[in-house]
């Protein structure tokens, strides 16, 4: 027991030493102004610009300010209710040009409980970070948030919740807000934004895909436990909506490789696109990270987000937050309904890494008010199955359907809609103002009640 605790303390100490003794000078602030709001307002007020023209204008939006110096790490702040001013470290690669799209990595650090917002100029932003050292040579915009447990800004522990009282972890929508805020001033490639992390950071990266996946093309996770602590709404099945590259090491005595292997094996029975690798003879924070990261980067080079994927599954316990993926949203849950026969809780046996045996318990603890949808579309036909849902919303894009033909919705085996859907200028602009996403442009939506 003492040996295990010493190793754990050593990992924490290494993190603190690396990020306090190697403090860097104050970072320049990325505060360039965005004129996107004014451009959207002018489009909105110009009655001569019809809805189809708006779609083309937004799809080709390229009005981004110049960045004074590239190849540089900046600090950036955005406001979020409950957290105040949230700091981000933003690395702008040397080849950045405001007229061309740049891929982006949201990199979440480990040991979240050891960091604070006030460390913006000294923590995990130093060049001593071995993953960052490799990443910054790859021409990615790199966004690195800082956790702060005292402010409840924590992507590995839900500090808004407890086992007795459940509440959503607001860190995740805040992280998305920060990304959207930067999309207004940096020419980020919407279809090539990836979440990446090690240890606590890996679980944060997975959480972004489990809770708020829309902006992300895929996830790279090193030595994760595949869980958000102190919560019962971590529906890991949602991860299959995004490509996942996951790596673990067998001598990790903080997070069990066997546990992760069991989770991945069970997830693969749902969707076999997960790429899982093991490194034998390596500990939690070890040389396997630098060995593997170049291979992970080769993997994500071939990945581009598809916001119009033909098949979606989504599970949630709320209809106001974390309530959908891509083109499908759950706008009303109804837990008075019986579960559909196909809705089952995903789970695996909990594994004791010290005793090397399984507990007589399940790994995930779930709320009882979870709801779920399964949906697909082809040739203007949407087929949706629901379990304990009162209403769904289908977002419409001309990439997905032919707007000159009727859109058909089949809900739980019954046709409930068959009509043409027109592009709505106000809807299009309102949605773009919220997401600043030029590639996932929704021209209208259709809400369907579940009888």
């Amino acid at each position: 027991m003492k040996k295990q605790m010493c190793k754990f303390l050593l990992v924490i100490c290494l993190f603190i030493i690396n990020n306090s003794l190697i403090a860097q000078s104050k970072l320049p602030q990325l505060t360039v102004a965005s004129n996107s709001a004014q451009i959207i307002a002018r489009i909105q007020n110009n009655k001569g610009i019809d809805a189809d023209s708006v779609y083309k204008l937004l799809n080709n939006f390229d009005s981004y300010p110049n960045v004074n110096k590239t190849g540089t790490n900046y600090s950036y702040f955005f406001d979020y209710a409950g957290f105040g001013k949230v700091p981000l470290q933003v690395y702008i690669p040397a080849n950045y040009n405001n007229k061309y799209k740049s891929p982006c990595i949201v990199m979440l650090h480990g040991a979240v409980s050891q960091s604070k917002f006030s460390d913006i100029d000294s923590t995990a932003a130093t060049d001593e970070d071995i993953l960052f050292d490799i990443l910054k040579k790859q021409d990615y915009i790199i966004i690195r948030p800082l956790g702060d447990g005292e402010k409840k800004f924590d992507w590995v522990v839900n500090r808004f919740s407890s086992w007795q009282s459940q509440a959503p972890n607001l860190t995740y929508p805040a992280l998305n807000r920060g990304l959207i805020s930067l999309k207004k001033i940096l020419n980020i490639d919407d279809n090539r934004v990836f979440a990446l992390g090690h240890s606590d950071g890996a679980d944060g990266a997975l959480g972004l895909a489990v809770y708020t996946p829309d902006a992300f093309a895929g996830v790279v996770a090193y030595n994760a436990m595949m869980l958000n602590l102190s919560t019962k709404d971590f529906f890991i099945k949602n991860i299959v909506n995004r490509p996942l590259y996951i790596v673990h090491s067998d001598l990790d005595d903080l997070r069990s490789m066997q546990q992760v292997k069991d989770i991945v094996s069970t997830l693969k029975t749902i969707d076999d696109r997960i790429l899982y690798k093991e490194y034998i003879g390596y500990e939690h924070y070890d040389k396997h990270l630098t060995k593997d990261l170049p291979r992970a980067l080769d993997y994500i080079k071939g990945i581009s987000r598809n916001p119009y994927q033909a098949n979606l599954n989504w599970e949630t316990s709320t209809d106001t937050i974390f309530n959908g993926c891509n083109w499908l949203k759950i706008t009303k849950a109804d837990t008075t309904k019986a579960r559909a026969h196909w809705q089952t809780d995903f789970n695996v046996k909990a594994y004791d890494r010290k005793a090397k045996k399984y507990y007589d318990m399940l790994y995930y603890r779930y709320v009882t008010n979870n709801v779920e949808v399964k949906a697909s579309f082809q040739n203007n036909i949407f087929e949706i199955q629901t379990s304990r849902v009162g209403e769904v919303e289908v977002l419409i894009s001309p990439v997905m359907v032919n707007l000159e033909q009727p859109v058909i919705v089949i809900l739980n085996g019954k046709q409930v809609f068959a009509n043409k859907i027109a592009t709505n200028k106000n809807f299009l602009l309102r949605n773009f103002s919220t997401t600043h996403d030029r590639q996932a442009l929704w021209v209208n939506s259709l809400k369907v009640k579940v009888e």
Side-chain angles (χ1 to χ4, degrees):
M1 179 67 180
K2 290 183 179 179
K3 182 180 178 182
Q4 303 295 333
M5 181 60 68
C6 287
K7 287 186 177 181
F8 175 76
L9 292 174
L10 178 61
V11 171
I12 297 299
C13 289
L14 285 173
F15 178 87
I16 296 172
I17 291 170
N18 280 344
N19 294 291
S20 58
L21 298 184
I22 315 175
Q24 58 187 36
S25 59
K26 192 172 181 64
L27 294 174
Q29 279 196 36
L30 185 67
T31 55
V32 285
S34 168
N35 61 354
S36 64
Q38 291 88 343
I39 292 172
I40 292 170
R42 287 199 296 269
I43 295 173
Q44 176 81 57
N45 296 328
N46 189 334
K47 295 182 180 179
I49 303 177
D50 64 15
D52 291 334
S53 298
V54 170
Y55 182 89
K56 293 175 183 177
L57 285 169
L58 298 181
N59 191 235
N60 295 293
F61 186 95
D62 65 353
S63 182
Y64 296 93
N66 288 316
V67 174
N68 292 332
K69 186 179 179 181
T70 60
T72 299
N73 208 29
Y74 290 87
S75 63
Y76 178 77
F77 297 84
F78 69 96
D79 293 313
Y80 196 88
F83 296 127
K85 286 193 175 297
V86 181
L88 303 172
Q89 294 173 347
V90 184
Y91 177 77
I92 310 295
N95 74 333
Y96 177 77
N97 185 318
N98 66 326
K99 293 299 178 185
Y100 299 96
K101 298 175 182 178
S102 290
C104 175
I105 290 176
V106 177
M107 180 181 175
L108 300 176
H109 66 75
V112 182
S113 63
Q114 302 300 314
S115 65
K116 295 182 179 180
F117 285 175
S118 58
D119 296 330
I120 181 64
D121 295 308
S122 60
T123 63
T126 69
D127 290 354
E128 295 300 311
D129 186 315
I130 59 173
L131 297 178
F132 179 62
D133 244 359
I134 296 172
L135 288 175
K136 72 178 186 179
K137 298 174 183 177
Q138 307 300 314
D139 299 331
Y140 286 90
I141 294 171
I142 305 171
I143 301 171
R144 291 183 292 164
L146 288 173
D148 192 322
E150 291 181 3
K151 295 183 182 295
K152 299 186 178 182
F153 194 80
D154 190 327
W155 45 79
V156 74
V157 179
N158 182 354
R159 297 182 183 274
F160 295 88
S161 190
S162 68
W163 292 122
Q164 291 75 34
S165 175
Q166 287 295 300
N169 188 346
L170 298 182
T171 305
Y172 288 103
L175 288 169
N176 272 268
R177 180 75 62 81
L179 173 60
I180 292 166
S181 178
L182 283 167
K183 282 187 175 186
K184 296 178 181 180
I185 59 176
L186 296 174
N187 197 344
I188 293 173
D189 187 339
D190 297 301
N191 285 340
R192 303 213 62 238
V193 179
F194 301 91
L196 179 147
H198 167 257
S199 190
D200 283 4
D203 289 304
L206 290 166
L208 285 168
V210 168
Y211 291 118
T212 58
D214 285 6
F216 294 91
V219 174
V220 176
Y222 288 101
N223 294 76
M225 62 182 166
M226 304 190 79
L227 188 63
N228 190 228
L229 296 173
S230 297
T231 191
K232 297 181 182 179
D233 67 350
F234 191 78
F235 301 110
I236 189 64
K237 274 194 300 187
N238 291 345
I239 198 71
V240 301
N241 292 299
R242 290 294 182 266
L244 172 60
Y245 181 102
I246 186 163
V247 170
H248 218 89
S249 49
D250 69 321
L251 300 183
D252 186 336
D253 54 6
L254 297 177
R255 288 138 186 259
S256 165
M257 188 179 80
Q258 182 60 53
Q259 188 74 78
V260 169
K261 181 189 290 189
D262 290 343
I263 295 167
V264 170
S265 296
T266 309
L267 282 172
K268 281 192 170 190
T269 64
I270 302 171
D271 191 310
D272 196 37
R273 293 174 297 174
I274 300 170
L275 200 162
Y276 172 67
K277 297 165 68 177
E278 297 176 348
Y279 281 80
I280 307 303
Y282 294 90
E283 298 182 359
H284 179 73
Y285 187 83
D286 212 332
K287 293 179 181 179
H288 69 292
L289 299 173
T290 50
K291 281 176 175 286
D292 190 83
L293 186 56
R295 296 160 188 168
L297 292 171
D298 284 341
Y299 171 78
I300 66 175
K301 280 179 183 176
I303 292 177
S304 182
R305 179 193 62 163
N306 177 15
Y308 314 114
Q309 64 191 63
N311 297 283
L312 289 175
N313 278 47
W314 193 257
E315 187 173 10
T316 186
S317 59
T318 173
D319 51 24
T320 57
I321 188 173
F322 311 148
N323 65 333
C325 179
N326 294 350
W327 47 266
L328 185 66
K329 310 295 178 187
I330 298 172
T331 48
K332 186 177 180 182
D334 187 352
T335 54
T336 64
K337 296 177 184 286
R339 280 189 175 199
H341 67 88
W342 49 263
Q343 185 188 0
T344 56
D345 290 334
F346 177 97
N347 229 317
V348 297
K349 278 275 196 168
Y351 184 77
D352 184 337
R353 59 181 170 77
K354 296 177 183 177
K356 296 184 179 180
K357 65 179 183 180
Y358 290 93
Y359 291 108
D360 187 22
M361 62 181 290
L362 295 173
Y363 188 64
Y364 293 106
R365 303 179 187 181
Y366 288 125
V367 292
T368 58
N369 62 333
N370 51 328
V371 303
E372 190 170 354
V373 292
K374 299 196 298 184
S376 63
F377 76 88
Q378 183 177 8
N379 297 329
N380 274 40
I381 301 174
F382 291 86
E383 295 194 49
I384 304 170
Q385 297 180 66
T386 67
S387 181
R388 310 177 85 193
V389 170
E391 183 183 71
V392 295
E393 181 178 18
V394 179
L395 303 180
I396 302 296
S397 166
V399 176
M400 301 164 61
V401 300
N402 181 355
L403 296 177
E404 296 178 358
Q405 300 295 323
V407 170
I408 296 171
V409 177
I410 299 173
L411 181 65
N412 295 324
K414 180 182 178 181
Q415 181 173 306
V416 294
F417 183 85
N419 213 335
K420 289 184 180 181
I421 297 178
T423 300
N424 183 311
K425 177 179 175 178
N426 290 335
F427 183 92
L428 179 54
L429 285 169
R430 186 167 60 250
N431 191 265
F432 180 77
S433 296
T434 301
T435 66
H436 212 82
D437 194 320
R438 297 167 289 174
Q439 302 304 307
L441 287 171
W442 311 110
V443 301
N444 212 329
S445 76
L446 173 66
K447 289 187 176 181
V448 181
K449 291 183 178 180
V450 182
E451 300 299 336

